[in-house]
Amino acid sequence: MTSTLATIPLNCVDKCLLALDGIDEPMLIYGIVRVQGEVDAERLGRAISMTQKAHPVMRTILRTRRLRPIREIQEDTGRGVLTVADQVHLKDTDHDMYIANWMNLPMDLSTEFPVRVLLLRESETESRLVFAFHHSSADGLRALSFIRTVVEDYNRRAGGDGDTEVAPLAAPEEMRINRKLDELLGFANSQRARVNHYYRKILFSLFHRFVLSALNPPTRVFHDRSGQSRELRFCFAFIDPQELGRIQSRTKQAGVTLNDLLLAACYRAVEKWNSMHGSRSNTIRVMTPVNISPKGFSGVVSNQASWLSLATTPGDRSDAARLLKKVRAETSEAAANRMAFALVYYFYFCSRFPLFVMRLVCRFLMITRTYVDTIVLTNVGSVWSEPRSEEAAVSEMGDARILNVIGSAPVVSPMGLSIAASTYNRNLNLSLTYRPAFFSEEKARAFLDLYTDEITNYEIGGRDA
């Protein structure tokens, strides 16, 4: 019997991330919201349900038709999305370990929705909200959009009768329902008129990545463990508003951006880390996500990101100011030539095969390791800004106050760790996701401290450096 429920297709990036998850490389992303004050669990549950109605992809179950995955929209949004853990009166409780264990729970998309939420009450005055998203359903920017909508729905209910049905905030998600064409491929093709010799440049970019770069494999971040566990752990660092303001002032004076500095500092941190452990760094490739949202899709929850992989040699990294200038020039050139779309074509080609074939391709990439970059670095920017402004905002959640919002990025085994950055209330948050099978907690913390120190003490130089 054929199902009459509406379906949402997966785009090419969705499918490739789903294939990666299928070979024991967990593709989960997280948002951790620290709240001061009381959070009403019942009201929060209703807000999550309303947000799911506004974003139907977050209430879908994965099905297979003709060897191809599809998402089937479910009418019932009460499938245990919210878990409430009250540890206010429990003594000697390790809240961080509880959250880490919850975050490591596998997500079966054939039986549950691609989002779940934990409300952990740590004390009478503080709680943490943890959102887990399957990366095959949302990228980091769209996951944050979902979190913001939950808070907005929560506040709308907090301002009136909590039992009154409130229409969900408007969202253009319906444009994806039963859509046949891949929106990312269509948007990639539309770039041809903007770039001279567009397809030639795309082909050369793919040839360079999968042929020329394979002859010079990327350096790995040194680790002294070797295990097979898919378990993940997390550690965090923060740069306060005063220090962040000083850094941004220096980058502006040098004619670069904060993103450029974060990227350049990452190259230097990897090289210094490896040198500290007696390991030589040759080519270092850092994978950085790029927002490629098609027109009209910015409010749709899905994956609308591709990646750039910029490589540096020991000579590039020998001078900090010169490295920063190189990073600025190459990212600008890649943006002008729309090089982030090169991988969209590769993903689309792979997505034409059944999912089990895509898993074999992913397993080949993981085993050979030459095609997997050194590390992932993503910066989602300002998490909460004033409406129609870039000014930082501190959001309220009913009578409670959101103290901070932190995100995390997935990590595949050849890398062993990844870094995510975000800004909330003028604080720069750095999140390191790592595999304990490769790094101890002490080593992961030491690497993050090294990276943070590299950011705050980077020798930027002048505009003409």
Side-chain angles (χ1 to χ4, degrees):
M1 181 176 178
T2 303
S3 173
T4 58
L5 294 175
T7 61
I8 299 178
L10 288 80
N11 65 34
C12 55
V13 176
D14 295 340
K15 292 178 185 177
C16 288
L17 292 169
L18 183 64
L20 266 175
D21 188 83
I23 62 167
D24 230 19
E25 299 288 346
M27 287 291 109
L28 296 174
I29 56 179
Y30 305 94
I32 303 174
V33 182
R34 184 177 288 277
V35 182
Q36 184 179 57
E38 184 178 354
V39 178
D40 186 322
E42 185 176 351
R43 180 171 286 151
L44 175 62
R46 291 198 296 266
I48 293 170
S49 293
M50 293 307 296
T51 306
Q52 286 179 279
K53 290 180 181 179
H55 300 287
V57 72
M58 287 302 166
R59 53 184 173 93
T60 58
I61 298 296
L62 197 68
R63 301 291 187 224
T64 302
R65 290 183 185 171
R66 300 174 183 173
L67 298 179
R68 299 192 180 280
I70 60 167
R71 297 190 183 99
E72 188 178 81
I73 300 175
Q74 306 299 300
E75 297 300 326
D76 177 22
T77 60
R79 286 175 173 262
V81 171
L82 176 63
T83 299
V84 180
D86 193 338
Q87 298 185 346
V88 173
H89 303 295
L90 297 181
K91 296 182 179 180
D92 302 322
T93 300
D94 189 336
H95 301 303
D96 290 337
M97 183 58 68
Y98 183 93
I99 288 176
N101 290 336
W102 182 88
M103 292 167 78
N104 274 294
L105 292 173
M107 187 178 286
D108 184 356
L109 296 181
S110 65
T111 60
E112 59 183 308
F113 295 146
V115 59
R116 57 176 175 236
V117 186
L118 169 68
L119 170 58
L120 177 64
R121 293 191 173 112
E122 300 177 325
S123 70
E124 296 287 357
T125 59
E126 286 202 10
S127 300
R128 268 187 284 184
L129 273 172
V130 186
F131 291 78
F133 300 89
H134 201 280
H135 202 355
S136 66
S137 300
D139 58 41
L141 289 176
R142 263 48 72 167
L144 282 172
S145 176
F146 183 90
I147 294 173
R148 285 193 294 264
T149 307
V150 168
V151 174
E152 290 166 7
D153 277 322
Y154 182 96
N155 288 338
R156 289 198 305 158
R157 291 177 173 276
D161 185 353
D163 296 323
T164 302
E165 185 68 17
V166 180
L169 293 173
E173 186 74 57
E174 287 72 17
M175 67 192 301
R176 292 208 74 210
I177 297 176
N178 295 315
R179 181 181 174 89
K180 297 184 181 302
L181 299 178
D182 190 304
E183 67 269 14
L184 295 185
L185 179 70
F187 192 49
N189 286 333
S190 73
Q191 304 305 302
R192 179 181 180 181
R194 300 171 179 265
V195 180
N196 291 330
H197 311 297
Y198 175 64
Y199 289 127
R200 184 189 306 173
K201 291 177 180 178
I202 290 292
L203 288 173
F204 179 77
S205 176
L206 291 174
F207 179 77
H208 187 275
R209 176 172 182 83
F210 292 104
V211 179
L212 298 182
S213 294
L215 303 176
N216 187 18
T219 293
R220 298 290 157 209
V221 180
F222 175 85
H223 56 85
D224 53 7
R225 294 183 175 186
S226 182
Q228 300 299 320
S229 173
R230 60 180 279 158
E231 179 186 12
L232 300 177
R233 285 288 182 263
F234 313 87
C235 58
F236 310 99
F238 310 95
I239 296 177
D240 63 45
Q242 183 177 356
E243 182 65 28
L244 179 59
R246 183 185 68 84
I247 294 170
Q248 289 177 315
S249 176
R250 294 175 64 217
T251 56
K252 183 177 181 180
Q253 185 179 11
V256 297
T257 67
L258 179 62
N259 261 341
D260 298 328
L261 177 61
L262 293 176
L263 182 53
C266 190
Y267 290 113
R268 301 263 294 179
V270 171
E271 183 168 56
K272 288 184 178 180
W273 175 264
N274 286 354
S275 178
M276 288 164 53
H277 295 88
S279 178
R280 176 176 169 78
S281 299
N282 294 316
T283 299
I284 296 176
R285 287 207 313 254
V286 179
M287 175 178 281
T288 56
V290 177
N291 182 18
I292 56 168
S293 177
K295 184 178 180 180
F297 273 77
S298 59
V300 173
V301 175
S302 67
N303 284 287
Q304 299 166 46
S306 185
W307 292 264
L308 291 177
S309 298
L310 302 180
T312 62
T313 64
D316 297 327
R317 302 186 297 268
S318 61
D319 181 87
R322 188 166 63 243
L323 172 63
L324 188 56
K325 187 176 181 180
K326 173 184 172 66
V327 167
R328 170 74 273 181
E330 292 197 357
T331 53
S332 297
E333 182 182 8
N337 289 313
R338 307 299 197 272
M339 287 300 96
F341 289 102
L343 283 180
V344 171
Y345 289 98
Y346 172 73
F347 293 149
Y348 183 76
F349 171 77
C350 292
S351 70
R352 305 309 297 162
F353 295 98
L355 190 58
F356 76 90
V357 176
M358 295 177 64
R359 291 192 185 114
L360 292 176
V361 173
C362 289
R363 194 174 296 280
F364 169 77
L365 296 176
M366 294 299 111
I367 291 174
T368 58
R369 300 167 63 90
T370 59
Y371 303 100
V372 180
D373 296 331
T374 304
I375 190 173
V376 167
L377 171 66
T378 179
N379 179 21
V380 295
S382 178
V383 174
W384 239 289
S385 299
E386 295 286 358
R388 296 174 296 279
S389 170
E390 294 300 317
E391 291 298 315
V394 179
S395 182
E396 307 296 324
M397 193 166 178
D399 294 329
R401 184 170 181 263
I402 296 178
L403 299 178
N404 209 351
V405 183
I406 306 170
S408 77
V411 53
V412 295
S413 52
M415 294 180 184
L417 51 78
S418 66
I419 299 173
S422 62
T423 305
Y424 178 79
N425 192 27
R426 301 188 188 280
N427 288 280
L428 179 62
N429 305 309
L430 300 172
S431 169
L432 181 76
T433 306
Y434 66 97
R435 289 186 179 239
F438 291 175
F439 298 90
S440 66
E441 181 180 354
E442 294 74 19
K443 288 287 181 67
R445 165 55 60 186
F447 182 88
L448 182 57
D449 288 344
L450 176 66
Y451 178 55
T452 306
D453 183 71
E454 192 65 33
I455 294 171
T456 55
N457 296 299
Y458 199 93
E459 299 174 5
I460 294 178
R463 182 179 293 271
D464 298 323

